[in-house]
Amino acid sequence: MTAVETHRRVPVAPGRLPAVGHAWQLWRHTLEFLDSLRAHGGVVRIDIGTAPVYVVTDPELTRRMLTSESRFFATGGRMGENLAMIFGEGVGTVNGEQHRRQRRILQPLFNRGYLAARTEALSAAVRQRVAGWQDGIPFEAAAEMDRLMVSAFLATLFGPTLSAPREEEFYRLLRTLMAGVMRRTVAPGWVNAAMVPANREFDRALARLRQIVQALVQDGRSRPDAAGGVFQAMLAARDPDSGDALTDRQIVDEAITMLGTTGEAPGTALAWALHELSRDPDLQRRVQQEVDTVCGGRTPTAADLAALVRARCVLTEAMRHHGPGYLFTRWTTAPVDLGGYPIPGGADVAYSQYIVHHDPALYPDPQRFDPDRWLPGAPAVPRSAYLPFGLGGRQCLGEHFSWLAMLLTVAEIAARWDLHPHRSRPVRPVASTTVRPRHLTLTPHARRTP
């Protein structure tokens, strides 16, 4: 039974073109196009080719879709169907009782306390990567942070035994696959069908990724003492009701889901945070002073993170202002009135963190990067108005891992390096799998601490 409210007509976004609908605007001017939809209504229809997608732009309706009325909005839609090709039946793509069961099994492995007690491999991976930078030698920040996050998660999941070439292969495969997901999501079907070389590359990458992870799972079963703590816990995890364990296929699906969701998104957020620190020497100095005070010159640990208030504010604002997620889809399980907007059953419905996070009614001067918004004592932002990890029963299981990894990385970098922009070339946001910074090259210089 749906909530019935005063009916409103669902407006169609302007600029629809024959055969492609709004796909060109969504592909070429993604962020500007999404931000423009708010002016047309709380729910706005766009067309990808001839297929309608209902975009929820109102923050309160977004909250209701993800929480109180989530039973009408199942995981799926254009993006969900494409992600399922990669993630299989991982917790991020299944629905109903299957989702609840898998989440019950995995939830204890990703709570704050469990991860905080098992950060040795993660910290070592971050420290090794950051310590390997060379004084005065620039690096491309988005790719470097992606690689760092993939390395940190692989070490946490499978143990610190993977070779550097294997980690690099994981990074390249994931980039190919996630880029393919976004292409398939925002382009009409006939365009995707015509892109034969890209589709073949996607299929090869997917087969190779699943082959590698399957081999790691089998190796972990045969040598459990050598596996990472999270993987050991996955082997031992049981359904609290039935006592059933995860099969090899389920572990492969969950591992790939975790890799896909805890690699590029936090890596992109870190790249944007480093960009903001590098171009604001005063802000960078305050973060460095905070790290020096809290850590006292020793390696940052999980126990230090609660005291890194300024660093957390920078990361929080980076995820608000720059993304990294910008478009997610659901499909309606029945006809539903969402805030009075009638949406048919079986429809693609999309919501956008970018739209919510740039709503001027929630965030004054939303295009300004301002980490002070999040300082203790600043005006409170409604919990539902900040959703980099989603809301409700499908909120990202990797949230605590992502925060832990990002804060440890910022602290490790702040303790060792001063960052400077390498070029004066403007850094532009580009909506790919995430909202990535284009032309972001940074030069590290070793800190000269007293």
Side-chain angles (χ1 to χ4, degrees), residues 134-153:
Q134 298 181 55
D135 196 333
I137 304 300
F139 61 86
E140 203 285 312
E144 177 66 9
M145 290 300 100
D146 282 354
R147 288 182 169 94
L148 189 152
M149 285 293 99
V150 168
S151 176
F153 184 77

Side-chain angles (χ1 to χ4, degrees), residues 277 279-289 310:
L277 290 171
R279 67 177 187 166
D280 187 340
D282 181 60
L283 178 61
Q284 183 170 193
R285 187 163 46 251
R286 280 180 282 162
V287 170
Q288 290 171 334
Q289 290 171 349
R310 179 68 62 176

Side-chain angles (χ1 to χ4, degrees), residues 300-352:
T301 68
D304 299 319
L305 302 186
L308 298 178
V309 176
R310 179 68 62 176
R312 182 178 286 270
C313 288
V314 170
L315 285 165
T316 302
E317 180 68 351
M319 286 189 285
R320 198 264 333 156
H321 184 265
H322 294 293
Y326 60 95
L327 194 67
F328 301 89
T329 64
R330 297 286 191 266
W331 64 273
T332 51
T333 59
V336 59
D337 281 88
L338 185 64
Y341 291 98
I343 303 175
D348 278 346
V349 180
Y351 71 96
S352 170

Side-chain angles (χ1 to χ4, degrees), residues 97 99-108 239-241:
E97 182 54 38
H99 172 259
R100 287 186 286 272
R101 172 184 175 273
Q102 290 173 217
R103 194 173 179 94
R104 281 198 307 267
I105 295 173
L106 296 171
Q107 183 81 58
D239 185 309
D241 295 330

Side-chain angles (χ1 to χ4, degrees), residues 189-346:
W190 63 269
V191 173
N192 282 311
M195 300 181 73
V196 175
N199 290 330
R200 287 176 177 166
E201 183 184 21
F202 180 94
D203 292 342
R204 285 194 297 267
L206 179 56
R208 178 59 179 158
L209 179 65
R210 296 195 71 85
Q211 178 187 41
I212 296 172
V213 176
Q214 178 68 46
L216 289 171
V217 169
Q218 291 173 346
D219 185 60
R221 282 201 185 275
S222 64
R223 301 186 305 122
D225 292 343
V230 171
F231 181 72
Q232 290 178 358
M234 288 175 73
L235 292 178
R238 296 293 183 272
D239 185 309
D241 295 330
S242 68
D244 292 339
L246 294 171
T247 66
D248 277 10
R249 174 61 182 269
Q250 288 172 323
I251 292 176
V252 169
D253 288 348
E254 300 298 357
I256 293 175
T257 297
M258 294 168 196
L259 276 166
T261 55
T262 58
E264 187 169 355
T268 300
L270 276 167
W272 281 118
L274 299 187
H275 167 63
E276 297 293 350
L277 290 171
S278 72
R279 67 177 187 166
D280 187 340
D282 181 60
L283 178 61
Q284 183 170 193
R285 187 163 46 251
R286 280 180 282 162
V287 170
Q288 290 171 334
Q289 290 171 349
E290 179 181 72
V291 171
D292 293 344
T293 299
V294 171
C295 301
R298 56 178 170 73
T299 299
T301 68
D304 299 319
L305 302 186
L308 298 178
V309 176
R310 179 68 62 176
R312 182 178 286 270
C313 288
V314 170
L315 285 165
T316 302
E317 180 68 351
M319 286 189 285
R320 198 264 333 156
H321 184 265
H322 294 293
Y326 60 95
L327 194 67
F328 301 89
T329 64
R330 297 286 191 266
W331 64 273
T332 51
T333 59
V336 59
D337 281 88
L338 185 64
Y341 291 98
I343 303 175

